[in-house]
């Protein structure tokens, strides 16, 4: 991690090097830090997040969606749903934004060495797992089987479509993509069904395997019992949460769940830790 200035709220300046429209309302930024020293020294781990500034409008919290194995830039992916994200959507390639971070804990990737991995994602929740997927694929020999189960409401809502094609074409990855009933076209070449149902049909082996889940709360709610049915223990299931995070530093209190601060204690948790959180979560 690059050292911050004495002002913990002062962001680094970054140039938008590339903009990709993933869906009609989801956009990806490829960002390059303007200060060469920051660019050279900035490091992060898969699962960490950052605060992204649209100057004059405020900050928004997203994961760092790129892999730490890919240096010289970082990437983020967001949906335009509010004042800040709509301001970010109005920016163009070459414009400047602010970046604070990295914050939070991360996926303990070293603990996954020698094990198989099952990634389960829904909709806009693929980016928080994408960082880990590429991190693992860039050191493929350290892992067993890699399965990716990813779904969205419709074909148009799938993000990283080009990378889905890359994963589908790889002989060392099993990709199972799906859309909700009614969300497919005549040319759709994937499954049709909700992610938990398709996951159960895919039936990945649980022995010596880690499951990594990210999606809307309703998807996670119905996915965890499926993983349990398949034989995954609570300590072998990881998820990453974004719960009203604002300051990133555990000071504003917006993201706390009971005595847990998602921005500091998370955003990565095991299923066991999630089940110990207050029911209203």
């Amino acid at each position: 991690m690059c050292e911050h200035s004495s002002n913990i709220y002062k962001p680094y300046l970054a140039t938008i090097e590339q903009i990709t429209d993933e869906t009609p309302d989801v956009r990806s930024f490829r960002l390059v830090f303007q200060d060469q020293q920051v660019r050279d020294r900035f490091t992060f781990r898969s699962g960490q997040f950052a605060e992204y500034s649209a100057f004059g409008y405020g900050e928004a919290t997203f994961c760092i969606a790129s892999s730490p194995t890919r240096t010289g830039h970082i990437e983020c992916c967001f949906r335009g749903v509010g004042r800040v994200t709509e301001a970010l959507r109005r920016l163009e390639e070459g414009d400047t934004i602010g970046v604070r971070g990295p914050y939070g804990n991360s996926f303990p990737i070293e603990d996954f060495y020698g094990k198989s991995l099952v990634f389960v994602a829904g909709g806009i929740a693929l980016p928080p797992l994408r960082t880990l997927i590429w991190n693992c694929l860039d050191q493929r020999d350290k892992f067993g089987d890699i399965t990716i189960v990813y779904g969205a409401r419709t074909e148009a809502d799938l993000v990283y479509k080009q990378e889905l094609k890359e994963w589908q074409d790889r002989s060392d990855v099993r990709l199972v993509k799906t859309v909700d009933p009614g969300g497919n076209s005549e040319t759709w070449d994937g499954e049709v069904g909700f992610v938990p149902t398709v996951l159960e049909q895919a039936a990945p082996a649980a022995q010596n395997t880690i499951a990594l889940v990210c999606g809307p709360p309703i998807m996670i709610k119905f996915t965890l019992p499926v993983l349990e049915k398949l034989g995954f223990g609570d300590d072998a299931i990881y998820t990453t949460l974004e719960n009203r995070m604002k300051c990133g530093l555990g000071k504003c209190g917006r993201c706390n769940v009971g005595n847990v601060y998602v921005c500091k204690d998370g955003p990565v948790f095991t299923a066991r830790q999630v089940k110990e959180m207050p029911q209203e979560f």
Side-chain angles (χ1 to χ4, degrees), residues 22 28 30 44-47 63-71 73-77 107 109 112-113 117-119 126-143 146-148 150 159-173 175 212:
E22 304 290 349
S28 290
R30 179 185 174 109
F44 67 97
R45 288 176 58 87
S46 290
C63 71
I64 302 176
S66 51
S67 170
T69 55
R70 315 285 178 95
T71 58
H73 70 278
I74 63 171
E75 296 176 26
C76 66
C77 185
F107 293 104
I109 187 171
F112 303 161
Y113 290 167
L117 305 174
V118 176
F119 296 92
L126 181 59
L129 294 185
R130 176 194 185 237
T131 170
L132 184 61
I133 291 172
W134 279 120
N135 197 344
C136 295
L137 292 179
D138 285 347
Q139 41 186 334
R140 186 63 184 85
D141 60 335
K142 295 182 179 179
F143 304 94
I146 292 182
T147 300
I148 303 169
Y150 173 52
V159 298
Y160 299 121
K161 293 179 180 66
Q162 183 56 46
E163 293 180 22
L164 293 177
K165 293 179 182 177
E166 291 182 43
W167 297 340
Q168 191 167 15
D169 291 340
R170 290 182 64 132
S171 61
D172 58 355
V173 173
L175 173 67
L212 304 119

Side-chain angles (χ1 to χ4, degrees), residues 206 209 211 227-228 230-238 270-272 275:
T209 302
L227 289 170
E228 182 178 349
L230 291 172
F232 288 84
D234 288 346
D235 293 323
I237 303 171
Y238 290 79
T270 64
R272 183 178 304 279
K275 289 180 178 180

Side-chain angles (χ1 to χ4, degrees), residues 96-121:
T96 296
I97 73 169
V99 179
R100 281 198 298 123
Y103 297 124
N105 66 356
S106 60
F107 293 104
I109 187 171
E110 293 83 6
D111 294 343
F112 303 161
Y113 290 167
K115 298 182 179 181
S116 294
L117 305 174
V118 176
F119 296 92
V120 186

